[in-house]
Each structure stands twice: as C-alpha cells, then as structure tokens.
Amino acid sequence: MSDLDHVFSPEGPLAETIPGYRSRIQQQEMAQAIADAIKHNHQLVAEAGTGTGKTFAYLVPALLSGGKVIISTGTKTLQDQLFNRDLPAVRDALKVPVTVAMLKGRANYVCHFHLQRAMNEGKFYSREDATYVHQIQAFAENSGTGDKSELTSVPESATIWPAVTSTRDNCMGQECAFYKDCFVMEARKRALAADVVVVNHHLFFADVMLRDEGVAELLPSANTVIFDEAHQLPEVAGMFFGEGFSTSQLMELARDAHAEYITTIKDCTALPEMTAALEKAVRDFRLIFAYESARLPVQKVLALRNFESAYALMEQTLAALAAVLETQAAREPSVENCWQRALALQVMLQRWQRAENANLVRWVEVFTQSVQLHATPLSVAEGFSKQLNAQPRSWIFTSATLAVKSDFSHYLGQMGLEAAKTGYWNSPFDYASQGLFYVPQGMPEPNSPGYASAVAAMALPVIKASRGRAFVLCTSLRAMREVHALLKDAFETEGLDYPLLMQGDTARSELLERFRKLGNAVLVGSQSFWEGVDVRGEALSAVIIDKLPFAPPDDPVLSARIDKMNAEGKNAFMEYQLPYAVITLKQGAGRLIRDEADRGVLMICDPRLISKPYGRRIWQSLPPMRRTREVADVVEFFDSLPVDPA
C-alpha cells in the first residue's frame, strides 16, 4: 500500500481525525494523479464530480510534496474556508510541519493611511459610516491581519470600506508613513515565507499580468500551482489580459485630489475647481447610457448621442486636473501619487479610444454608478501559455465542470493547455436512485413570447409535489423577475403558502440562510445561484432550470469570438457555444444532489434537449439520473420519499 493509499484508507489518518470522512476510490485515484503531476512538473486538468472530495484529493499530495504550493480559488468565501477549515484539518491529520498563509487583494485589508485621513476629514456618506469608522479604527489597532472579513459588525457592502482601504492606484508604497505597519505588506511577507499560500483567481491574474507585488513574487519559488473552480479561469484571465478602465477610477482620483487640497495643499485654490469639473464630467458621461447592468458592443456605444463629446470632456477635465497636480507634486508624496495616477489614466483613455490592438475587442459595461470600458482579448490561450512555460513547475486545474461528456478539448483550447494530461472522475453518488431528471412535454420554443409563462405553469406542479423546497434558476435577470411574478400570482390563486424569495431581495448569503431555515421556500435566482451554492438536505429538493444557458449571442466578446472562429473555418456553435452551455448547465444541475442522503428532481424546461440533435450531447453530460417526461413520475418520486416527522 502506497503512502497515499494509506492516507485515504478507512484506517488512515484522515478517517481517524476528520469527522464524517469516507474513503472513496475516486478521491484516491485523483490524489495519485495529482501527486504524479507534482512529481514530474506536469500540467493536469481534472474533473471530479460532486462528492468526490476533490479538496482533500489535491491538499494531501500538495502538503506531502515538500515544495512551495500556491492554491487559487474561485471566490474569497472558498479561500476563507480552505484557509480556516480544510487546510488546518488535513495538516493536523497528516502531522506535517507545513506553514500556511492567505493572501487577498489589497482592498480586503484596512489601510492605516486612508483610515487616518477618513477620520481627519470626518466626511461620510451616511450616519452608519460615521459609526463604522470608529469600529474599523478599533479593529485596526487590535487586529493581527487587518482583513476586513474578520470585522463582521461592518457589512461588506458598507460605503465606508473604499475610504479606509487602498487600491493599486492610491497606495503610497514605501513613501507611506505607515509602511512598516502595513497590513498588505505583512500579508505578503507571511505569504513569501509560507509553504502553502491560498489566493483567489482575481488576485492571481491581477498580480501576474499587471506585475504588482503579491503573487508575481510568489510564483518564481512555487513548485506547484493548483486552481480550484478552474472553470472560471477563461473569463477571469480575459479581464486581466486585456486593457481598460472604469469611471470609478476617475471619481476616486478626483476625491483623493480634493482630500489633498483639504489636508495638505489648502493654498492651491485651483484644485477644488478642477476636481469638481472632473466629477461632473464623469457623472455626465454615465448619464448618456440609458441602461443598467448592460454589456454593449463598441459600435452601439460609439453611435450613442453625445458619446464622443462626453468622452472628450472627461479627457479634457482629466488633463486640466493633471496639469494642476503637476505644479504641486513636489510638495507631498501623496500629491505626486495623484499626479502619476492622472497621467496613467490619460494614457488609458487614449489607448481605449485609439483601439490600436486588433486582437482586443472593445466593449462597455454599464453599472448603476459607473461605466467600465473594456478591451478584451479574443483568446487568452497565448498569453496564459507564456506563464505555464516560464519555468518548470506543476499546474493543476480542477473543477466539477470542465468537460463535455468526458471531452476536455474545449477547456484545453481556451487555456492553451496543449501539453496537459486529463483526468475524469465521476461522482460517487447513486444518481439513479437519488434523483429524477424531468423534461416536460408541450413547452414552446425558448424564444417565443409566452415562454416564461409556460415555465411557471410547468414548474407549479413540481413545486407542489416537492412542497416548496426548490430553486428556480433562470438564464437572465428579466426571465427571473417575470417567472417570480408569475409564481407569486399562482401561489396566491392556489393558496400556496411556500415562502417565495428572489435574488436581489437581500445579500446572497442572507437569502441562502433564510432558504435553509425556512425549510419549504422557493428561491428564484439567476447567475448568482448557478454555482458556489451548497444547500444539503431536504430544504432543496427540486432544481428547476428555465432554459439551456447559451451565452447571449449579442454579447460583444462572444459575437467577436464566433465571427473569428467561423472565419477560420471552425464550427463556433459546436466548438465554443455548446461546450460553454454544457459547463454552465452542469454547474446549475450540481446544486441538487450535494451528499449521499440527498434526494431530488432536476427539471429542465427547454424542449431543445429533446428536439435538437445536440440535445443528446447535453443530457449525456449531466448526472446519470433516471429520466422522465411525465409529471406523474415526479409526483410519484416525491410521494415515495420518507416524510420528515417534524
């Protein structure tokens, strides 16, 4: 028996020390494949179905390898879970003397400089912020890390946080009076000294691509890089391989420059006029977009009335502010920082407008308060493969959703992983007895006007059979709101008292907590609830999906990729759009069965699963549940389940 076989065996250290641990052959095999990849500096792409225990499957060989390991996760929540729970549990079980550190982006750490300035200014957006700032000050004086996630009394969404944390733009670096006490620098020192460092995808790419200090310093000494939730990497990498800027950067510059006027250069009377002019120009630029939460192609943006004049005014007011800051820059390092930021932003505005790089797709994302102007590469494969081949080390990519059936070619091509080995491990769950897959008959085509009404009507008997306890996952916010309104009316008409929740009513974590506690709720959600959500037990017994999650064809980056692939003689639908939809659908379907005791019904309303030739390829990629088209089978399935006496 090898060391790994012993570790994962029913008599091994994991079983001895970790409550509820079960030995699984899939987990052992995956761990062995990862250990081999680490030993030989290989690239490994590994899909492991829900319940495989992929976290332990990569942690055990990583901790036993003796080298430096970077683990990158999809979210900060998973990052915290790894660092605070899973890593210490495995390290203690293996009894290995491994040091562990966690590194987040600088916006997650309280900044002494900005905190003091906020206290001195005393200008806050709300009364709550004035209260929160004193709690943050007390926290900063006593915390060992300065990580804002540890200060639970101040909500993550509080408007005070940007005022008391730093950004890449406004960090003073070694010029800062608080440099020796800086929480960001301390976190980086701990990370440099540690054997295992936990980061997240956004930080990894931001640091490596933009050459900030964090991960870019760690990579040269790392023997192994492990990406968990690796299906998110193509989109995250695209953000950082591209170019662009946000109008919020201009607003922050204006506010920081105005703060310098108040605190250090009161005699520069031209400054407040310049900062006010820039703020007004940015707000006026936002107002030309009569949209919110929209992604617009550059052609549509350039055709907007007043776009060019509003953009030019932003450039002019930014240049005027830069000119004033230049006259004052020598007086104070913080003023020089504002001047340098103004110059850098001028370059960004000019580059985006000139569009000199033909490999980048320009597009715009509109938010409530800001506008983000992107220039995204059509492919990240070339840029990422340079990182992969920079020096010998092992790269592990793992997720529950990377393949179509067991074919990884879509993912390998996206990420430039031509040399990678692949591994595919099915879930150990008994899907045939634990779940039922239902595709209703008589659904209209997904693009027909009455489709949302049909979804709500078909979902209602399933929700009644499951006694609430359902997720209704929609592919767009508009469909989500429409289906929610239809279900609300239907519940009232039929006298159903299941609590009806909707994404956006409150924070995702609070909604999930309410859903779990209520025990018979129906939650209607969109993108936020398709992945990274874990509800075990009877509280979630049905997952209803409105349609196949094809990316909208008018998405600016997707449409450019489709055009490029078709021009190259490829079939963009089969090679790109379909695999994307399958991987996303697998994430949504994966919400249903989370452990060996779960039972439930997966309902996908889209008739294309049956009517289109590609439908077979899609459902063959889903968990192997018993399939039906009869709602009577759904009712019978739920009737056969033991009823909780409570």
Side-chain angles (χ1 to χ4, degrees), residues 146 197 238 253 442 462 532:
V197 186
L253 170 64
V462 175

Side-chain angles (χ1 to χ4, degrees), residues 125-438:
Y125 283 105
S126 65
R127 196 172 294 167
E128 288 84 7
D129 282 359
T131 305
Y132 291 149
V133 79
H134 292 289
Q135 295 177 33
I136 295 169
Q137 185 180 39
F139 169 71
E141 287 169 1
N142 297 293
S143 172
T145 65
D147 184 341
K148 70 180 190 183
S149 69
E150 295 172 13
L151 184 58
T152 52
S153 61
V154 179
E156 194 173 348
S157 57
T159 49
I160 188 64
W161 283 120
V164 298
T165 54
S166 69
T167 65
R168 187 190 308 275
D169 289 341
N170 67 19
C171 172
M172 302 289 296
Q174 295 185 16
E175 300 285 348
C176 181
F178 299 94
Y179 184 73
K180 287 183 180 174
D181 303 313
C182 176
F183 288 124
V184 173
M185 297 314 299
E186 282 305 309
R188 287 175 173 170
K189 281 180 200 166
R190 285 192 294 270
L192 283 168
D195 301 309
V196 179
V197 186
V198 184
V199 300
N200 59 64
H201 300 340
H202 280 81
L203 175 64
F204 183 92
F205 283 101
D207 270 12
V208 171
M209 304 316 153
L210 301 177
R211 289 282 177 250
D212 197 5
E213 288 82 26
V215 181
E217 286 185 336
L218 296 172
L219 256 184
S221 61
N223 305 91
T224 300
V225 179
I226 299 172
F227 292 105
D228 199 346
E229 301 298 320
H231 63 277
Q232 297 175 4
L233 291 183
E235 187 168 348
V236 177
M239 288 167 56
F240 292 103
F241 278 115
E243 299 172 1
F245 67 96
S246 168
T247 58
S248 60
Q249 289 173 272
L250 295 165
M251 292 297 269
E252 284 162 13
L253 170 64
R255 285 170 195 149
D256 287 347
H258 191 74
E260 292 302 330
Y261 165 72
I262 292 169
T263 54
T264 56
I265 49 174
K266 289 188 177 124
D267 55 340
C268 182
T269 52
L271 194 55
E273 186 185 329
M274 295 298 113
T275 58
L278 178 58
E279 285 189 358
K280 183 178 185 306
V282 172
R283 279 195 293 267
D284 288 347
F285 180 72
R286 167 63 188 87
L287 289 174
I288 67 168
F289 297 90
Y291 313 90
E292 197 173 305
S293 303
R295 291 161 65 103
L296 307 172
V298 70
Q299 297 85 346
K300 192 170 182 179
V301 170
L302 295 175
L304 285 174
R305 194 163 159 241
N306 298 329
F307 175 84
E308 289 193 15
S309 59
Y311 196 92
L313 188 60
M314 278 200 307
E315 287 191 292
Q316 288 162 21
T317 52
L318 176 61
L321 175 59
V324 173
L325 288 169
E326 184 178 10
T327 66
Q328 307 295 314
R331 294 174 62 177
E332 194 73 35
S334 51
V335 181
E336 183 175 1
N337 172 266
C338 287
W339 174 49
Q340 295 293 347
R341 284 162 62 192
L343 296 179
L345 281 165
Q346 279 184 280
V347 172
M348 287 183 205
L349 265 76
Q350 288 162 8
R351 281 177 70 87
W352 192 87
Q353 195 172 31
R354 284 183 193 147
E356 290 166 352
N357 187 338
N359 293 318
L360 299 180
V361 180
R362 288 190 299 160
W363 56 286
V364 169
E365 201 164 7
V366 185
F367 300 98
T368 309
Q369 300 288 338
S370 64
V371 180
Q372 197 131 18
L373 294 98
H374 300 275
T376 303
L378 286 170
S379 169
V380 300
E382 187 182 341
F384 190 61
S385 62
K386 286 177 187 170
Q387 299 298 327
L388 292 171
N389 302 315
Q391 66 186 81
R393 66 168 63 91
S394 57
W395 296 82
I396 315 295
F397 303 79
T398 182
S399 168
T401 54
L402 293 172
V404 178
K405 289 176 73 176
S406 52
D407 178 5
F408 289 90
S409 56
H410 170 68
Y411 188 79
L412 299 178
Q414 273 189 301
M415 296 300 294
L417 293 166
E418 284 79 12
K421 296 176 180 290
T422 60
Y424 183 86
W425 289 274
N426 281 317
S427 167
F429 296 157
D430 181 8
Y431 283 108
S433 64
Q434 287 182 252
L436 181 68
F437 177 22
Y438 169 49

Side-chain angles (χ1 to χ4, degrees), residues 563-626:
D563 291 346
K564 181 173 185 283
M565 290 181 78
N566 289 337
E568 291 169 353
K570 297 176 181 174
N571 184 331
F573 179 79
M574 295 303 291
E575 294 180 44
Y576 189 87
Q577 290 165 277
L578 185 63
Y580 173 91
V582 170
I583 287 168
T584 308
L585 187 66
K586 284 166 72 174
Q587 280 290 334
R591 298 314 99 212
L592 183 64
I593 307 294
R594 304 301 296 174
D595 67 25
E596 286 91 343
D598 277 355
R599 301 284 185 275
V601 168
L602 169 65
M603 174 182 180
I604 301 178
C605 301
D606 198 322
R608 291 174 294 183
L609 268 174
I610 308 299
S611 64
K612 297 293 184 185
Y614 58 76
R616 181 182 182 86
R617 197 168 170 203
I618 294 174
W619 59 251
Q620 285 184 335
S621 297
L622 294 172
M625 299 176 183
R626 187 162 60 90

